């Protein structure tokens, strides 16, 4: 049978399956009558065979993607996943997330490098042209003099507890929004994700130069680093998730583009889910240690605290590498068989 004849002959059952899927997805499987439910199962198997036939004969990519979508939707309804248990969530956080990040380390490294490139550009841009502050420095910091702010914090005339809480809430919410946007912009073939990472690094670099120019570099990093290390790490992981989505678009690895994109989206969502632990940690620190300034907590103490937190964060993220290294050294032939 020729491809056009095959499509014309099979189209009615494809449309029938599509109609049943639309009804089940809108109203749940319980909305289907017994005969409709039986038809759904039969059509699912039949359309799966049609998909294999089309692929084997090099059929149109549009037809293949359409059938693949129908089969995927039918599979999701026929074999629904179990609700995650608390033990499953804990297992993912403890081991699954570090293992997934190990697999996607190239995407994470790309995110970090883009963020650092933006940071360097922002710092050097302000150094070369201080008048560029209105373009590079975050709006909420344009009218804050670093020296006056530090003096106010030291004398107790800085932000009130309510203002600090509001500011902390703003930062926490803003950074989670940045992370989700960096993830979602992966659908732009990664271009939007790259720009988001670069511009967030740029603003931090520009602000760092403003404080450095006033002789407040130590004060600035003592404020930023305690919560910034887990927070920026989480944003870069979200960026890596965006690049994973982009990979499904540009490098489907022999799969139909729609299927590749769905597979990569699952990995990307897991990466994004893993950042929640880091954001919770960052939010807790941001509302406590980060808002206690010298002389109550010295610059040395806060920077040391930040480095300790950073060491703990990266020990956790690299735990799968460390388990792999221990397994390699424990294997008799050193082959690392696991």
């Amino acid at each position: 049978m020729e491809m056009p004849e095959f499509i014309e002959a099979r189209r009615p059952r494809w449309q029938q399956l599509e109609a049943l899927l639309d009804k089940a997805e809108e109203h749940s499987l319980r909305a289907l009558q017994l005969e409709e439910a039986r038809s759904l199962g039969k059509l699912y198997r039949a359309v799966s065979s049609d998909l294999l036939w089309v692929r084997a004969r090099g059929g149109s990519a549009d037809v293949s993607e359409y059938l693949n979508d129908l089969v995927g939707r039918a599979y999701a309804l026929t074999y629904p996943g179990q609700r995650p248990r608390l033990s499953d969530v804990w297992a993912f956080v403890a081991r699954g997330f570090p293992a997934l990040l190990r697999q996607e380390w190239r995407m994470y490294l790309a995110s970090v490098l883009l963020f650092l490139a933006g940071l360097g550009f922002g710092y050097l841009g302000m150094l070369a042209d201080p008048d560029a502050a209105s373009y590079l420095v975050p709006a909420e910091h344009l009218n804050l003099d670093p020296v006056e702010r530090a003096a106010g914090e030291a004398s107790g005339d800085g932000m009130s507890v309510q203002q600090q809480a509001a500011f902390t809430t703003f930062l926490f919410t803003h950074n989670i929004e940045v992370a989700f946007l960096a993830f979602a912009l992966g659908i732009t073939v990664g271009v939007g994700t790259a720009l988001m990472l670069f511009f967030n690094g740029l603003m931090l670099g520009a602000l760092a130069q403003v404080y450095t120019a006033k002789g407040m570099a130590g004060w600035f990093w003592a404020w930023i680093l305690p919560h910034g290390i887990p927070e920026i790490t989480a944003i870069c992981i979200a960026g890596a998730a965006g690049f994973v989505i982009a990979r499904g678009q540009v490098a489907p690895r022999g799969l139909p583009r729609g299927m590749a994109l769905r597979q990569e989206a699952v990995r990307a969502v897991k990466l994004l889910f893993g950042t929640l632990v880091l954001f919770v940690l960052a939010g807790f620190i941001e509302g406590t240690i980060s808002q206690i300034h010298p002389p109550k907590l010295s610059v040395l103490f806060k920077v040391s605290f930040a480095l300790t937190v950073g060491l703990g964060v990266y020990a956790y993220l690299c735990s799968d590498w460390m388990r792999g290294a221990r397994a390699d050294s424990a294997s008799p032939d050193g082959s690392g068989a696991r």
Side-chain angles (χ1 to χ4, degrees):
M1 184 182 296
E2 297 296 327
M3 186 65 65
E5 296 175 8
F6 177 83
I7 293 173
E8 195 62 32
R10 298 295 193 272
R11 190 190 304 275
R13 72 184 185 192
W14 301 348
Q15 293 173 338
Q16 186 181 356
L17 177 59
E18 186 173 16
L20 288 173
L21 289 172
D22 289 341
K23 181 177 180 179
E25 288 171 347
E26 184 176 355
H27 302 292
S28 85
L29 281 171
R30 292 187 179 89
L32 299 182
Q33 297 177 5
L34 178 60
E35 193 56 40
E36 287 178 325
R38 288 174 176 170
S39 295
L40 178 62
K42 293 177 182 177
L43 289 168
Y44 165 50
R45 292 188 292 272
V47 175
S48 297
S49 297
D50 293 344
L51 175 60
L52 294 175
W53 193 95
V54 170
R55 285 182 179 172
R57 287 158 181 80
S60 164
D62 291 339
V63 174
S64 180
E65 188 168 342
Y66 169 69
L67 294 178
N68 185 73
D69 182 64
L70 288 180
V71 170
R73 291 168 62 190
Y75 179 88
L77 283 171
T78 308
Y79 303 102
Q82 295 181 342
R83 292 183 179 180
R85 297 170 297 179
L86 184 60
S87 59
D88 296 330
V89 174
W90 172 248
F92 173 75
V93 171
R95 302 194 63 156
F97 178 56
L100 182 58
L101 186 61
R102 179 184 182 183
Q103 295 167 15
E104 301 296 349
W105 69 269
R106 293 176 183 83
M107 299 301 181
Y108 176 65
L109 180 61
S111 295
V112 171
L113 292 177
L114 279 163
F115 186 90
L116 292 177
L119 190 148
F121 187 88
Y123 189 94
L124 294 176
M126 282 296 299
L127 194 62
D129 183 11
D131 293 334
S134 57
Y135 303 101
L136 302 180
V137 176
E140 62 271 17
H141 291 282
L142 278 174
N143 298 319
L144 284 177
D145 181 86
V147 176
E148 291 180 2
R149 182 186 173 195
E153 296 288 355
S155 64
D157 296 329
M159 291 189 292
S160 65
V161 173
Q162 291 79 7
Q163 288 173 322
Q164 286 185 351
F167 186 55
T168 298
T169 302
F170 163 76
L171 289 175
F172 184 63
T173 305
H174 169 75
N175 286 313
I176 289 181
E177 289 174 352
V178 167
F180 273 82
L181 192 55
F183 158 75
L185 287 174
I187 202 67
T188 63
V189 200
V191 174
T193 298
L195 290 175
M196 177 65 66
L197 291 165
F198 183 85
F199 282 120
N200 274 272
L202 182 146
M203 289 189 292
L204 179 60
L207 189 60
Q209 206 287 319
V210 169
Y211 276 77
T212 301
K214 295 285 187 174
M216 302 295 296
W219 194 96
F220 174 80
W221 291 115
W223 167 44
I224 292 294
L225 288 180
H227 67 273
I229 291 177
E231 194 168 75
I232 292 170
T233 298
I235 289 173
C236 288
I237 293 174
F243 288 140
V244 168
I245 291 177
R247 184 176 64 199
Q249 296 174 289
V250 301
R253 294 176 291 184
L255 297 173
R257 204 171 300 277
M259 179 182 290
L261 185 57
R262 281 191 290 272
Q263 288 183 358
E264 298 291 23
V266 171
R267 296 177 67 84
V269 168
K270 287 180 179 179
L271 277 174
L272 187 66
F273 176 76
T275 65
L276 295 179
V277 175
L278 299 176
F279 275 121
V280 169
L281 174 63
F284 175 76
I285 296 172
E286 194 166 19
T288 53
I289 299 295
S290 292
Q291 302 302 332
I292 305 175
H293 301 288
K296 294 178 182 177
L297 288 180
S298 69
V299 167
L300 179 60
F301 173 84
K302 293 182 71 176
V303 171
S304 300
F305 175 83
L307 295 177
T308 302
V309 169
L311 184 63
V313 165
Y314 278 90
Y316 160 62
L317 295 178
C318 296
S319 59
D320 193 68
W321 270 284
M322 292 186 285
R323 280 192 291 268
R326 286 196 295 268
D328 288 347
S329 61
S331 61
D333 58 357
S335 62
R338 297 167 68 181

